[in-house]
Amino acid sequence: MKVLGIESSCDETGVAVYDTAIGGADGLRAHAVYSQIALHAEYGGVVPELASRDHVRKLLPLVRQTLAEAGLGTGDLDGVAYTAGPGLVGALLVGAGVARSLAWALDLPAIGVHHMEGHLLAPLMEDDPPQPPFVALLVSGGHTQLVAVDAIGSYRLLGETLDDAAGEAFDKTAKMMGLPYPGGPQLAKLAESGAPGAFRFARPMTDRPGLDFSFSGLKTQVLLAWQKSDRADATRADIARGFEDAVVDTLAIKCERALDAAGCDVLVVAGGVGANRRLRAKLQAMCEQRGGRACFPRPALCTDNGAMIAFAGALRLRAGQHDDDAVRATPRWDM
Ligand code: KG4
Ligand code: ZN
């Protein structure tokens, strides 16, 4: 089954074609992402109205480009999947409207996909994919969740953040220290040249049982350290390193607890923060020590993309699910 996937929940326009008959990494016939970073940079964050307007401009050209790269025509497609939520409602409506209209015109089934289910299943698009049951850590700009995956489509929430998401903490901390938008990846890059241990911040909520997270206090600790410091470039790198180590350690401690609680040794990591190199290395080492493994999508498929939507949609369409003719956009939606 060849499924066109469309992602437009925030500031990335993503389009892909996934072919379940090929499967694995090769099943991804083509994917393209157009990032709106430059558009929003001067505002220091995503401006919803500008995001919607840019999706309108970019989406159909990107569909055309992706099909050409896959060597396919619209007549080769078997279904269309799109992100139905959660996200910015105007941005979601653009992707949903285009996807539903294409499906109507081509007489294909269409399905609205939960953005976080897309992230969660992205590691299964790689070769030698993990099979449920496993524990998933979803770490993006909007979510930090630990989920027990009993089967594809059967998810139990084990823990989540009580305030900021991990990616949000990266972004806000970076902004506080004067790094340009989008801060998370920039802060991670800066941390690479920071001295480990020069600044030590708390590992929030690790001193008591439970699988929930809290990152907003950590952000305040970093702000105080930054304000008291000489604000030199080297100090900024040291603080960035201290912050990153605190987030990575906290996530690793909770992941290990979640694996213990679920009685399993396979961890699947997805979402934008899953692109963080130190997090990947730490979680991999932790799982290997238990005789298990940690599975990640390639870094380009950690952040928002159309491939994960094509893949998640293909699994659901192949199982016989599809939507009616209504255009679905659900800005707030529990997985
Ligand atoms: O999944 P994603 O692209 O969008 C959401 O659904 O939120 O995640 C974006 C988040 C941002 O907060 C960004 O700062 C963070 O992922 N991020 C990173 C890295 N790359 C992206 N955080 C830490 N280290 C990175 N290398
Ligand atoms: Zn995302």
Side-chain angles (χ1 to χ4, degrees):
M1 193 172 206
K2 297 181 194 68
V3 174
L4 179 74
I6 291 179
E7 154 66 30
S8 71
S9 65
C10 189
D11 59 345
E12 250 103 28
T13 318
V15 178
V17 178
Y18 192 85
D19 187 346
T20 55
I22 300 173
D26 289 344
L28 182 56
R29 296 283 298 265
H31 87 108
V33 177
Y34 175 80
S35 171
Q36 302 178 355
I37 283 176
L39 178 69
H40 301 291
E42 67 172 292
Y43 305 97
V46 178
V47 183
E49 181 63 23
L50 295 183
S52 312
R53 288 170 187 234
D54 212 45
H55 287 307
V56 171
R57 272 190 291 270
K58 295 296 174 355
L59 194 45
L60 278 175
L62 217 52
V63 169
R64 193 185 287 280
Q65 177 192 326
T66 306
L67 286 172
E69 278 170 21
L72 298 170
T74 49
D76 296 313
L77 295 172
D78 302 300
V80 181
Y82 62 94
T83 304
L88 303 170
V89 70
L92 289 167
L93 277 168
V94 176
V98 167
R100 197 72 205 71
S101 306
L102 275 176
W104 170 264
L106 298 169
D107 197 20
L108 296 174
I111 189 147
V113 171
H114 193 291
H115 180 81
M116 295 312 292
E117 184 180 40
H119 276 302
L120 190 155
L121 297 178
L124 278 62
M125 238 186 307
E126 303 296 356
D127 292 331
D128 189 21
Q131 296 302 325
F134 53 71
V135 169
L137 171 69
L138 301 178
V139 265
S140 71
H143 293 78
T144 301
Q145 295 183 327
L146 278 162
V147 178
V149 178
D150 300 318
I152 290 174
S154 169
Y155 311 120
R156 277 182 297 128
L157 185 66
L158 300 175
E160 64 183 332
T161 184
L162 304 178
D163 40 57
D164 291 349
E168 188 180 1
F170 263 92
D171 295 335
K172 287 180 175 171
T173 303
K175 196 171 181 177
M176 264 162 26
M177 293 202 292
L179 295 175
Y181 167 86
Q186 305 250 9
L187 190 136
K189 196 161 186 292
L190 189 64
E192 282 176 27
S193 57
F199 285 84
R200 192 186 154 82
F201 301 110
R203 277 60 176 151
M205 295 182 69
T206 54
D207 56 351
R208 60 189 113 148
L211 293 169
D212 287 334
F213 304 90
S214 165
F215 290 109
S216 77
L218 178 59
K219 187 184 63 194
T220 311
Q221 274 187 50
V222 174
L223 177 63
L224 292 175
W226 173 241
Q227 285 172 338
K228 273 197 287 182
S229 77
D230 59 8
R231 304 193 188 192
D233 285 350
T235 312
R236 179 156 49 189
D238 290 347
I239 294 179
R241 178 64 195 260
F243 168 80
E244 186 182 63
D245 282 346
V247 174
V248 168
D249 278 358
T250 303
L251 292 172
I253 290 166
K254 295 287 167 104
C255 284
E256 184 152 33
R257 261 186 218 172
L259 290 170
D260 287 342
C264 107
D265 292 314
V266 178
L267 179 70
V268 161
V269 185
V273 186
N276 185 277
R277 279 171 47 187
R278 218 175 299 279
L279 180 67
R280 292 169 85 96
K282 179 100 187 175
L283 295 179
Q284 193 62 263
M286 183 271 286
C287 288
E288 278 170 16
Q289 210 169 19
R290 303 169 60 98
R293 65 173 174 142
C295 308
F296 307 85
R298 68 199 88 160
L301 299 187
C302 283
T303 45
D304 291 348
N305 64 81
M308 66 187 198
I309 303 303
F311 180 70
L315 296 186
R316 287 190 174 268
L317 287 167
R318 200 176 55 177
Q321 299 177 24
H322 61 84
D323 291 348
D324 58 23
D325 289 341
V327 172
R328 281 178 59 206
T330 314
R332 289 176 172 276
W333 179 12
D334 287 337
M335 189 166 69

